Structures are given as structure tokens and as C-alpha cells.
Amino acid sequence: MTIHLPQGPYTPRATPLDLAPGAAAAPCSRTVFSAAHVVADPYADISPDDPAAVDWESTLAFRRHLWAHGLGVAEAMDTAQRGMGLGWPGAAELIRRSAAEAKSVGGRIACGVGTDQLPEGGTPTLAEVTAAYEEQLALAEENGVQPILMASRALARAARGPEDYLATYAHLLRQASEPVILHWLGPMFDPALEGYWGSAGLDTATDTFLKVIAEHPDKVDGIKISLLEAAREIDVRRRLPGGVRCYTGDDFNYPELIAGDERGFSHALLGIFDPLGPLAAHAVRVLDTGDVDGFRALLDPTVGLSRHLFRPPTRFYKTGVVFLAWLAGHQDHFTMVGGLQSARSLPHLAKAYELADRLGLFPDPGLAEHRMRALLAVHGGGR
């Protein structure tokens, strides 16, 4: 039956992809994390300026869904609306709860460590930035999760040049009890991170980033690069010390980066693997067999959806991610912490529905269609 979307009539597919988890093993040729979203409590009587109200059971259920398909969970990252609705108290609780859940099901987990307990305004001192990082690093280690040292808005304001980044990260890496993942998030994801690593020039910033790693290779498990530049990621990947992994955060070019070339490949830590979780895990298990063409045949068609969700303003990709989780039946509502469900237009969301449905991503296509029709009706349209 045709559904009339803003972009035109569309006939939904009748059957989904068959990607039930069963006893899905974790991929073995690549380490794959999905950065996971949080589910808001739609009945909480709060304003957008209040601390986030999280539906903890639905939030943890979604993580169990990802683990059931063999994926790792990258927790309390920007996909979970860190700095865009979820403050440090909520993120700390999320880390505690997800760490306990991971232990109960044997799931792999890594968690974002940053400085977002510091005030947004003003310029903090480097000592204050370091202390904030230390507090969050301690929480991650206390809960037995791998830390991901996230790019810090506060450090971007406090640092006077590359030397301040080198000193701050050196101090933190010396303190870390286990190897961490370093996270470089580009300004397209967070404009406050413009000029990170002490330079607006990416070549100079890259050199500083690599110097941090070269001076402490035993404390760096890997790096996550989210710059949406495949060529730069490949260049950085080839310059890493032996044993340091590259986790792609490139939601535009992930199939080619994960597949790799004769000189190496990227692992994955991706926000797009939130809606693509089951398909992504299946594709990487195909890659485990050495079938690169089969892997690309599965993942290449998903790039159109990803580029749509992550189109500028890229930082609002979370809205599309949560929207697809609602359509897929992973939550009962399309409400987000901070009211971020309003950050994308109805035409944008309708196109996301069409692209995801064409891929067979919805376990129950009829439910997804029903919910899409309901959203259209709320906006005064839909047939």
C-alpha cells in the first residue's frame, strides 16, 4: 500500500532482512563498536534546560540488542548526546549502568571520558581541564570499562597551542592503568572543537595528534578519527606505531575504510552502526571469511542512508538515529533528551524512513509504516 511522503509516493517493502541474532559471534577480523543512543523518558515533566530524564530500561535494552548481534558498545559518546542534552551526571550514571549490564551479558564496552562537568562559558585553566578528565577517567576505570579520551571543548578553549595538548594528554596517558582509545572529533560534529590539537590546519593538527601517540604507544589501544575525510584517515592509519589500531569514525566512507587495502585497514567505532547494527555485524562476519566483495555488497548500499543522516548540520545526526530506532520498534516514542527530536525536518525524516526501509532495516516493516503514517498525520499530512 502506497504511503505519500513529502518527497512523493512510496510503496514500503513487505519483508525485512533476515538478521536475527541467534548466537551471533563477535566479528574476529575487525573490532567493531556501535556508538549507542539514549532513550528519553517521554513522561518526565521537565524543560529542555533541566537534566536529562532517561528511560534506563529501554536504553539498556538497546545495548543488549547490539551485544546480541556481536557488536561492542561505545558508551556515553556524542551519539548518546554528550554535550547536546546529556550532561556529565547523566553520562556518569549511563556508564555505571551500562558497565554493569555489559558484565552481566559478557558484552564488550568502551566509554567516553571528557571534561563536560566544567561550565560551558569562560576559559578554564589547564589544571581544571586535567582534573575534570581525571575524574571521568577514574569513574571509567572503577567500573572496569575501556576509556575513550574524547576531544574536549574545555581544552579547546584553554589550550594556547600544540604544546598544551601534548602536555595534557601525556599526563592523562601516564595515569591510565590500561591502554585507551584517543578520539578526534571534527568541527562538523561539534563546532566548539575547531582548531583542536592547537591548529586550524589539519596537517599541523595531525602531526600533533600523531606525536601524542608516538610518545606513549603502550598507553594507546587505538584512535578514532571522525573527520569525514577518507584520505586523511588512511594517511594517519599508515603512520601509526605498530600495535595501535585505527577505529574509523567516518560515517561517509566506512565500507572502504573497514575493508582496507594492501597496507592495512580500519576497525570501527561508528554512530551509523546504531541503526545499522545487525547488518553491520553480519557484513563484518562475511569479511572475516575473506570475502571483501560480499562485505562491500552488504555495506555499500547503506552509505546513502548514512550520508543523509549525517548531512550538515552533521551534529544533528542523532535525531535521525533515534527516529529510526523508534520506527524499528526499539522504543515506544520519538522523544529525545533536550527536545532534540525537533532538530530535523519532516522531509528529512521521511527520506530517512524511505532509505532505511529500502535496505530492509526494520524488523517489522508494517510497524515502521504505521509509525511513519502517524508522524505524517501529526504534521497534517499523510495518506
Side-chain angles (χ1 to χ4, degrees), residues 14 38 49 51 66 104 121 134 147 161 194 217 319 376:
V38 293
D49 294 330
L66 294 172
S104 72
E134 289 174 332
E194 182 72 46
T319 301
L376 291 166

Side-chain angles (χ1 to χ4, degrees), residues 126 155-168 195-199 208:
L126 288 175
L155 181 55
R157 297 197 305 272
R160 295 159 297 178
E163 66 282 352
D164 287 340
Y165 288 91
L166 291 169
T168 300
Y196 210 73
W197 303 109
S199 175
T208 302

